Amino acid sequence: MKGLKRRVTVEGLNLERFFRVAGEQGVVCRGTRRSGRKCTVLVDENQITLLENIAQQGGWKITVGSRQGIGRHLNKVHRHWLLAGLSAVFVIGLYIMSRLMWSITLIDAGPYGSDAQMYLRELGIQAPKWKSAVNFPELRDLLEWRYPDVAWVDCGWRGTELRITFTQGIPVDEHAAKDISRDIIASRGGIVESVVTLAGTPVVAPGDVITAGQLLIQGYERGSDDTQTPVSARGIVKVRVWDSASAKVSLRETQTSYTGNVAEVIWMDSGLFKLWRPGEATYEHFDTRRRTSPFGGLFFPLVLHIDEYQECHIDNMARPIEQVKQEAGEAAVLLLREKTGFDDDFVDKWVDYCMIEDEEVCAIAYGERIVDVASYE
């Protein structure tokens, strides 16, 4: 076969004459390796017969070896044709499956999800389907025409999955459409730090104390001729605000001390009924520990229980005030962070303490931060 190489070994005297004759007859020898009277070369497979004739006429011994390079792999394929065929079928099948669409996913379709699935079936876009049969520009135009409230539709492949993403449009504000002004009010009270006005007229300045619901930016703009034009106010109003959270911790704690008196109660249980169950210990206060071990094996599933009762006294002890204050303060700060959703964004935070009827310590954690309180009516 043309293009395939074989390794040929030539033995005899005057090998130079052999290669000169072979070259004169157009035989190309590559990779020549000589050792004494033996020489090994690589030649094209279709020139083997010509070399054999030259060797027979000149008295040289020639041995044709196995194929080299790609030819060696072709020999393996020929010997294992069944395995090679199955591998080829698997590779071809895998390629064909990768060219098919196997699933469709709608992302952020919202209320249009069910209708979009039905519409895709009407268009004939359903799995399985050849990827090349799906025209993305045409599909985008059809979906955007069918759902005018959607800002745009994006189509793309993720492996064998067709992903269609809907970006919902922002409805036009009714007040803005009617040229009616819209104000910005404060969502909570505090001290104004800064005012950035994008549209409208600010009515507060840094340093002002405001309350929740107070007007911040008015929905009018003054023109060059002193006329007021209604607009939809937009802006950022940074306000210094304070949040708080409280926690209570008792000044007393219950401590348990053991007397050393121990009583044991031994009883057996069969799983269905108790063989005997003596009464519990007569201590006023006690802790219980039970040890269980099987007794009887597989055919007699008896379980031996040993209950140990340790007598104890319960004392109501006073705790150090500093320890209680520390625990209450840490709890109050944790509750403050959970309440505000902030951790390190506080400008400042501190804790105040008070005593409740000499029984509890109440800690109140305060956090100071700067937030945007601009809110539309």
Side-chain angles (χ1 to χ4, degrees):
M1 184 180 295
K2 186 176 181 180
L4 298 182
K5 306 294 183 182
R6 281 186 180 270
R7 187 166 295 280
V8 177
T9 303
V10 183
E11 298 181 53
L13 298 173
N14 199 5
L15 292 177
E16 290 80 2
R17 180 172 174 272
F18 172 82
F19 288 111
R20 179 174 57 79
V21 175
E24 291 175 352
Q25 298 191 23
V27 178
V28 180
C29 300
R30 298 182 178 85
T32 304
R33 291 184 296 180
R34 182 171 181 175
S35 177
R37 297 181 180 182
K38 182 185 295 186
C39 186
T40 303
V41 295
L42 282 176
V43 296
D44 290 341
E45 194 174 62
N46 59 349
Q47 295 180 333
I48 295 296
T49 303
L50 182 58
L51 277 181
E52 290 177 340
N53 293 334
I54 295 174
Q56 185 177 3
Q57 294 174 3
W60 291 285
K61 180 182 178 182
I62 186 169
T63 304
V64 180
S66 60
R67 287 176 174 175
Q68 302 295 313
I70 191 172
R72 181 183 302 175
H73 300 293
L74 290 177
N75 285 339
K76 293 181 179 178
V77 172
H78 182 72
R79 289 195 301 269
H80 306 285
W81 62 271
L82 180 59
L83 179 60
L86 292 176
S87 300
V89 170
F90 175 76
V91 172
I92 294 173
L94 189 63
Y95 174 77
I96 293 175
M97 292 181 65
S98 67
R99 307 308 299 170
L100 287 171
M101 174 186 68
W102 291 102
S103 63
I104 301 175
T105 301
L106 303 179
I107 302 174
D108 297 334
Y112 310 117
S114 300
D115 183 76
Q117 292 178 358
M118 180 186 67
Y119 184 56
L120 289 174
R121 287 194 295 267
E122 292 177 0
L123 295 176
I125 301 177
Q126 54 184 345
K129 186 178 183 67
W130 291 106
K131 289 183 178 180
S132 57
V134 181
N135 188 330
F136 282 166
E138 180 181 351
L139 178 60
R140 268 194 302 267
D141 293 341
L142 290 173
L143 290 174
E144 290 177 357
W145 178 262
R146 186 176 180 88
Y147 308 111
D149 292 338
V150 174
W152 65 82
V153 177
D154 184 40
C155 305
W157 296 110
R158 187 174 183 179
T160 59
E161 176 189 23
L162 173 60
R163 298 171 67 91
I164 302 177
T165 304
F166 293 79
T167 301
Q168 302 291 341
I170 301 176
V172 178
D173 184 76
E174 297 180 358
H175 298 289
K178 297 179 181 179
D179 289 336
I180 297 178
S181 66
R182 183 175 66 170
D183 300 330
I184 290 181
I185 61 175
S187 60
R188 61 179 300 177
I191 300 177
V192 178
E193 286 288 319
S194 63
V195 180
V196 178
T197 305
L198 303 177
T201 303
V203 295
V204 296
D208 292 349
V209 179
I210 62 173
T211 59
Q214 181 175 336
L215 179 64
L216 301 178
I217 301 177
Q218 195 174 21
Y220 288 95
E221 288 184 351
R222 186 180 299 277
S224 58
D225 54 354
D226 290 337
T227 59
Q228 290 187 341
T229 304
V231 296
S232 177
R234 293 182 296 115
I236 301 172
V237 182
K238 294 287 188 178
V239 174
R240 187 178 298 269
V241 298
W242 292 266
D243 299 282
S244 63
S246 61
K248 298 177 182 179
V249 177
S250 176
L251 280 168
R252 309 190 69 83
E253 66 177 356
T254 302
Q255 292 186 351
T256 302
S257 59
Y258 295 95
T259 64
N261 297 328
V262 178
E264 286 189 349
V265 176
I266 302 175
W267 56 286
M268 300 187 69
D269 186 4
S270 66
L272 299 177
F273 56 91
K274 298 177 177 60
L275 297 184
W276 72 83
R277 183 71 168 89
E280 297 179 349
T282 58
Y283 302 141
E284 182 179 1
H285 299 288
F286 56 85
D287 281 346
T288 305
R289 184 177 63 178
R290 172 173 295 177
R291 301 194 304 273
T292 302
S293 60
F295 184 81
L298 178 62
F299 299 100
F300 299 97
L302 301 178
V303 179
L304 179 66
H305 299 285
I306 303 176
D307 294 340
E308 184 180 278
Y309 297 90
Q310 298 179 350
E311 185 182 18
C312 61
H313 292 303
I314 299 177
D315 300 319
N316 194 2
M317 306 292 293
R319 301 179 60 194
I321 184 65
E322 293 300 326
Q323 181 182 359
V324 176
K325 288 177 62 177
Q326 181 180 355
E327 291 182 8
E330 293 175 353
V333 171
L334 179 60
L335 291 174
L336 177 63
R337 290 173 177 172
E338 292 178 355
K339 177 181 178 181
T340 60
F342 290 87
D343 188 2
D344 297 329
D345 290 345
F346 289 108
V347 177
D348 190 15
K349 60 177 179 288
W350 65 93
V351 181
D352 290 337
Y353 301 93
C354 64
M355 196 83 68
I356 301 177
E357 297 180 354
D358 294 333
E359 294 290 335
E360 293 178 321
V361 170
C362 179
I364 305 176
Y366 298 92
E368 179 183 347
R369 54 195 178 97
I370 299 175
V371 298
D372 181 13
V373 299
S375 175
Y376 298 103
E377 286 186 317

